[in-house]
C-alpha cells in the first residue's frame, strides 16, 4: 500500500494500457470514473481535436461545445506549449491510424 503520487500514477498508467479495444476501454473508464469525469475528459479531448483541426476561435469552440473558455485555454496551452505533448501524440497517432 502506498500514498506516493508517482507510484499511484504509474500504476494507473499501467492499468490504462491494458484494454485491447474501445469497448474494453469504455468499460474500464466506466468503472474508474464518474459519468461527469468521463464527460470532462471527453470534452477536453474534443476541444483538443477542434483546436488542432480547425481555425475556430476559443469563443466559437465555447459556443459550439459549452466548454468553458478557461478549459479551452488550458487545453490549447497543453496542446501547443507544454512539454508533455500527450495531446499531440494521441492526435498524430489517430491521424496515422485513420490514414491506413
Amino acid at each position: 500500500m502506498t500514498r506516493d503520487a508517482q507510484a499511484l500514477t504509474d500504476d494507473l498508467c499501467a492499468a490504462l494500457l491494458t484494454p485491447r479495444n474501445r469497448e474494453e476501454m469504455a468499460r474500464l473508464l466506466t468503472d474508474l470514473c464518474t459519468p461527469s469525469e468521463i464527460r470532462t475528459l471527453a470534452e477536453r479531448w474534443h476541444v483538443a481535436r477542434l483546436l488542432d483541426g480547425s481555425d475556430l476561435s476559443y469563443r466559437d469552440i465555447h459556443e459550439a461545445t459549452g466548454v468553458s473558455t478557461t478549459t479551452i485555454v488550458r487545453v490549447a496551452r497543453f496542446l501547443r506549449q507544454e512539454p508533455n505533448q500527450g495531446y499531440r501524440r494521441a492526435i498524430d497517432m489517430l491521424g496515422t491510424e485513420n490514414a491506413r
Side-chain angles (χ1 to χ4, degrees), residues 40-73:
T40 298
L41 292 171
E43 287 174 344
R44 288 179 184 174
W45 177 243
H46 184 59
V47 166
R49 299 288 296 259
L50 289 172
L51 288 167
D52 186 64
S54 73
D55 292 329
L56 295 172
S57 69
Y58 293 0
R59 178 181 289 281
D60 291 338
I61 292 171
H62 165 71
E63 290 173 1
T65 64
V67 174
S68 74
T69 54
T70 301
T71 296
I72 295 166
V73 169

Side-chain angles (χ1 to χ4, degrees), residues 22 45 49 52 90-100:
R22 289 179 188 187
W45 177 243
R49 299 288 296 259
D52 186 64
I91 288 169
D92 290 348
M93 291 295 291
L94 286 175
T96 301
E97 286 179 11
N98 292 336
R100 290 181 192 171

